[in-house]
């Protein structure tokens, strides 16, 4: 194959050296035994092996194509226009033909030619035949000649269920498992139009894990999922809306069809669905499959983008751009730069994000949910507990903030700390440090509130302020400040935050 595909001589020499000079030993009970040359072939797992295997399978593809066009082979009705007889990925091969014994014999003879050349043989016990509209007597002839067993739809190919009907909820279990266990959901979302019910279950699993680190969460979420899926600049966490992301990924398929990309799947769609019509002007018939109808529905949503020139035959399609376009924009929050910067500790950021949304479960909110509890503040036991009281009016909180101001010689305001942090003019480093202290003190005040509820204990305000400062110092020590202005360096030293790294 290297010769016939006209690979350079130097490259062929290097490949053959890799194949013929490899040596192996056997590991038995932890000890190495024997030493022998491979001579022909590579070990399983060798990074070169799948690439060379693909070249070998190219011989099978060409053999099948030659036999299909040379002899009395009958193509599958939906593959005839493309002269398509096989699809393959590594050693998984799909064959297509009309349901007759003659076509099957031609395929088997092609495999026999390939086996004689490569030494690779078909595993009859692992191979199945699938029929549609084929008489029983012809089925029996094909199964007898091939030695295969009759398979049932759906079957798995590359981890995907292959079937002729719309996928049921039970068929989507694998998708749900993969969406939870790994990042493979994006792989599925790029090929499948996922029903709304399945997307809701995927988002519910993600939402539950966010709030409770598990797949089960039966309380009211602190922040709506729609807000969570906004960008950080818009007040969200930057998570993706799975329904919109699915549309954006399917949009890539629409774009491929619109620009007539040189792809086997696009050619198949052109031959069997569009039949010479333009994609953007096409309307699916009532008899079209559910998947194709949903792809066309996504196309309809994308038409304004094509009309305004967002996508064209001359432009590259971007899933990110399509997602943002379909999602739309929301006003940017003034506090996002103050919160989402590298100086703030991540757990402080999340609590600060909840504070910015007014989402902390203070007692006034819990009473609103129907809980029969007292409304007094757990820190001072004087006023009704709400976010504004805990952070701005509570005596305990005021003393913590005053202690922090005195210790750091920074005038932290008791009221409107977020406004103060976003509007005051300082260098980026000073802003980041003071934001870290501000969100740190907010986090620890809330932590002490919860500790008072669970354990009935509180740290002294001065000790809590020292704990915030210690965490910020530890954060500074973990960063490498290679370039510091004299002003910032003097400021760090004045606040006793600068540590000279060895």
């Amino acid at each position: 194959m290297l010769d016939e595909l006209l690979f350079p001589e130097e490259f062929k020499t290097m490949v053959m050296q890799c194949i013929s000079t490899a040596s192996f030993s056997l590991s038995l009970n932890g000890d190495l035994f024997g030493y022998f040359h491979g001579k022909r072939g590579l070990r399983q797992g060798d990074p070169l092996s799948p690439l060379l295997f693909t070249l070998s399978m190219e011989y099978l593809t060409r053999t099948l194509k030659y036999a299909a066009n040379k002899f009395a082979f009958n193509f599958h009705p939906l593959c005839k226009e493309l002269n398509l007889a096989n699809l393959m990925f590594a050693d998984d091969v799909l064959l297509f033909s009309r349901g007759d014994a003659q076509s099957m014999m031609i395929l088997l003879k092609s495999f026999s030619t390939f086996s004689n050349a490569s030494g690779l043989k078909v595993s009859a016990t692992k191979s199945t035949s699938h029929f549609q509209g084929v008489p029983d007597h012809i089925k029996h002839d094909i199964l007898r000649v091939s030695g295969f067993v009759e398979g049932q739809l759906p079957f798995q190919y590359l981890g995907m269920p292959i079937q002729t009907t719309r996928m049921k909820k039970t068929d989507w279990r694998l998708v749900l498992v993969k969406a939870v266990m790994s990042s493979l959901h994006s792989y599925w979302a790029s090929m499948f139009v996922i029903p709304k019910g399945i997307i809701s279950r995927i988002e519910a699993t993600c939402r539950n894990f966010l709030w409770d680190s598990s797949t089960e969460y039966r309380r009211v979420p602190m922040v709506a999922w729609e807000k969570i899926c906004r960008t950080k600049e818009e007040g969200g966490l930057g998570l993706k809306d799975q329904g919109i992301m699915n549309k954006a990924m399917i949009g890539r398929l629409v774009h491929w069809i619109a620009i007539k990309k040189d792809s086997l799947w696009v050619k198949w769609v052109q031959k069997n669905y569009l039949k010479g019509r333009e994609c953007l002007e096409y309307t699916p018939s009532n008899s079209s499959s559910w998947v194709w109808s949903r792809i066309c529905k996504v196309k309809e949503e994308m038409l304004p983008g094509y009309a305004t020139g967002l996508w064209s035959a001359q432009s590259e399609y971007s899933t990110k751009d399509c997602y943002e376009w379909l999602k739309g924009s929301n006003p940017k929050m003034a506090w996002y730069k103050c919160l989402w910067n590298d100086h703030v500790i991540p757990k402080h950021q999340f609590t600060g994000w909840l504070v910015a949304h007014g989402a902390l479960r203070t007692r006034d909110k819990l009473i609103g949910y129907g809980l029969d509890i007292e409304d007094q503040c757990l820190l001072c036991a004087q006023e009704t507990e709400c976010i504004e009281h805990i952070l701005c009016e509570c005596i305990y909180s005021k003393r913590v903030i005053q202690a922090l101001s005195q210790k750091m010689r920074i005038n932290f305001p008791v009221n409107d700390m977020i406004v103060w942090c976003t509007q005051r003019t300082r260098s980026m480093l000073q802003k980041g440090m003071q934001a870290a202290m501000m969100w740190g003190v907010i986090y620890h005040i809330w932590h002490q509130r919860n500790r008072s509820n669970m354990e009935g204990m509180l740290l002294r305000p001065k000790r809590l302020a020292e704990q915030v400062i210690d965490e910020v110092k530890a954060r500074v020590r973990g960063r490498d400040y290679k370039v510091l202005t004299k002003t910032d360096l003097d400021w760090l030293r004045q606040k006793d935050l600068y540590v000279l790294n060895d």
Side-chain angles (χ1 to χ4, degrees):
M1 288 302 298
L2 291 174
D3 286 334
E4 294 300 323
L5 293 174
L6 304 179
F7 277 85
E9 287 296 329
E10 184 178 359
F11 179 81
K12 289 188 290 184
T13 300
M14 289 189 293
V15 168
M16 297 311 296
Q17 285 179 345
C18 291
I19 294 175
S20 60
T21 62
S23 300
F24 303 93
S25 296
L26 300 179
S27 177
L28 299 175
N29 299 325
D31 294 324
L32 293 178
F33 294 91
Y35 184 80
F36 57 93
H37 293 287
K39 291 298 183 184
R40 50 183 300 178
L42 300 170
R43 66 176 177 82
Q44 185 175 0
D46 190 296
L48 190 59
S49 180
L51 303 177
L52 296 182
F53 184 80
T54 301
L55 289 177
S56 300
M57 296 301 284
E58 176 66 17
Y59 180 76
L60 174 60
T61 298
R62 297 189 178 206
T63 302
L64 290 170
K65 185 176 294 186
Y66 173 81
N69 291 299
K70 185 72 173 178
F71 303 107
F73 177 81
N74 295 309
F75 286 95
H76 189 283
L78 294 179
C79 301
K80 186 176 181 179
E81 293 286 342
L82 296 176
N83 289 344
L84 181 63
N86 71 299
L87 291 175
M88 65 177 63
F89 183 85
D91 58 344
D92 289 321
V93 182
L94 290 177
L95 300 177
F96 307 99
S97 74
R98 198 172 69 184
D100 58 68
Q102 177 178 304
S103 298
M104 190 65 191
M105 287 297 299
I106 293 173
L107 293 178
L108 292 177
K109 287 181 179 179
S110 299
F111 266 100
S112 177
T113 301
F114 172 73
S115 296
N116 293 334
S118 67
L120 299 174
K121 298 184 182 299
V122 177
S123 176
T125 57
K126 296 181 180 180
S127 303
T128 57
S129 294
H130 298 266
F131 303 94
Q132 181 67 36
V134 178
D136 289 340
H137 69 281
I138 296 180
K139 280 187 187 181
H140 296 319
D141 290 342
I142 293 175
L143 294 175
R144 177 178 53 80
V145 170
S146 65
F148 301 162
V149 296
E150 183 176 359
Q152 301 295 327
L153 295 177
F155 65 91
Q156 295 290 320
Y157 182 70
L158 305 181
M160 300 182 295
I162 304 299
Q163 58 189 69
T164 58
T165 59
R166 177 177 176 176
M167 290 176 63
K168 301 177 183 178
K169 288 184 178 181
T170 53
D171 299 326
W172 284 97
R173 288 178 182 173
L174 181 60
V175 181
L176 293 175
V177 171
K178 290 190 175 184
V180 175
M181 299 299 292
S182 68
S183 60
L184 287 177
H185 172 57
S186 60
Y187 167 71
W188 284 79
S190 65
M191 298 179 294
F192 284 97
V193 180
I194 304 178
K196 290 182 179 179
I198 301 302
I199 288 177
S200 297
R201 291 180 62 183
I202 293 173
E203 290 184 340
T205 302
C206 298
R207 182 182 65 243
N208 295 343
F209 185 80
L210 173 66
W211 297 120
D212 200 34
S213 299
S214 68
T215 57
E216 296 295 331
Y217 184 78
R218 302 187 182 280
R219 291 180 288 177
V220 178
M222 298 183 191
V223 181
W225 185 252
E226 185 272 331
K227 291 183 179 179
I228 292 173
C229 291
R230 294 177 183 176
T231 63
K232 290 183 177 179
E233 292 87 345
E234 297 171 347
L237 292 179
L239 276 67
K240 299 297 184 184
D241 183 301
Q242 297 301 309
I244 298 177
M245 178 56 72
N246 183 227
K247 289 180 181 179
M249 289 186 167
I250 297 301
R252 181 181 296 277
L253 303 180
V254 173
H255 188 67
W256 285 356
I257 299 171
I259 65 174
K260 297 180 173 63
K261 179 182 173 67
D262 186 14
S263 161
L264 180 61
W265 179 77
V266 172
K267 291 177 181 178
W268 189 88
V269 169
Q270 293 282 351
K271 293 289 185 181
N272 291 281
Y273 282 120
L274 300 183
K275 298 178 180 178
R277 290 168 288 183
E278 290 297 325
C279 172
L280 301 182
E281 301 173 358
Y282 169 83
T283 301
S285 64
N286 294 332
S287 60
S288 299
S289 69
W290 175 80
V291 173
W292 175 244
S293 298
R294 290 297 298 271
I295 291 176
C296 291
K297 190 174 181 180
V298 172
K299 181 259 298 182
E300 294 295 327
E301 294 188 46
M302 295 177 62
L303 285 179
Y306 282 100
T308 58
L310 182 61
W311 302 289
S312 67
Q314 291 74 35
S315 64
E316 289 290 334
Y317 180 86
S318 168
T319 302
K320 178 183 176 182
D321 291 344
C322 184
Y323 174 85
E324 293 176 352
W325 181 76
L326 290 170
K327 178 176 169 292
S329 60
N330 294 283
K332 292 186 177 181
M333 300 297 163
W335 45 262
Y336 85 91
K337 287 185 179 179
C338 171
L339 177 63
W340 303 110
N341 71 72
D342 293 338
H343 299 90
V344 184
I345 296 172
K347 64 180 180 181
H348 298 174
Q349 288 177 327
F350 189 75
T351 301
W353 177 75
L354 292 175
V355 169
H357 281 283
L360 293 181
R361 293 190 184 277
T362 49
R363 285 195 158 187
D364 65 326
K365 287 187 177 293
L366 295 176
I367 292 173
Y369 293 151
L371 272 67
D372 184 16
I373 57 175
E374 296 182 359
D375 66 350
Q376 286 184 333
C377 174
L378 288 167
L379 294 173
C380 67
Q382 294 182 3
E383 302 291 339
T384 298
E385 183 183 273
C386 62
I387 292 179
E388 292 77 10
H389 170 77
I390 286 180
L391 300 181
C392 303
E393 302 167 1
C394 178
I395 295 175
Y396 179 83
S397 300
K398 287 182 178 180
R399 289 175 178 173
V400 173
I401 295 171
Q402 288 171 357
L404 183 65
S405 298
Q406 292 174 1
K407 187 78 174 176
M408 299 304 300
R409 298 185 293 280
I410 299 174
N411 186 24
F412 288 99
V414 176
N415 298 318
D416 296 327
M417 291 182 68
I418 297 178
V419 174
W420 169 83
C421 190
T422 56
Q423 293 183 351
R424 192 174 180 189
T425 303
R426 296 173 302 279
S427 71
M428 294 302 295
L429 181 135
Q430 293 180 39
K431 280 186 178 182
M433 292 294 182
Q434 294 182 23
M437 294 179 196
M438 183 194 74
W439 296 114
V441 76
I442 289 175
Y443 169 85
H444 281 286
I445 287 173
W446 180 247
H447 183 266
Q448 289 301 308
R449 179 265 182 200
N450 294 333
R451 187 182 181 192
S452 174
N453 185 37
M454 301 301 294
E455 303 175 8
M457 299 175 62
L458 281 175
L459 282 179
R460 291 182 294 106
K462 287 186 178 180
R463 179 69 191 93
L464 187 60
E466 291 172 356
Q467 188 171 335
V468 173
I469 295 170
D470 290 341
E471 288 189 355
V472 174
K473 284 184 177 180
R475 187 75 167 174
V476 173
R477 292 189 183 100
R479 295 177 60 84
D480 183 16
Y481 295 101
K482 294 181 179 179
V483 179
L484 283 175
T485 64
K486 185 178 184 303
T487 302
D488 285 338
L489 185 60
D490 291 342
W491 186 85
L492 288 172
R493 285 172 173 163
Q494 180 188 7
K495 308 304 179 186
D496 193 27
L497 292 173
Y498 182 73
V499 179
L500 182 62
N501 294 323
D502 296 333

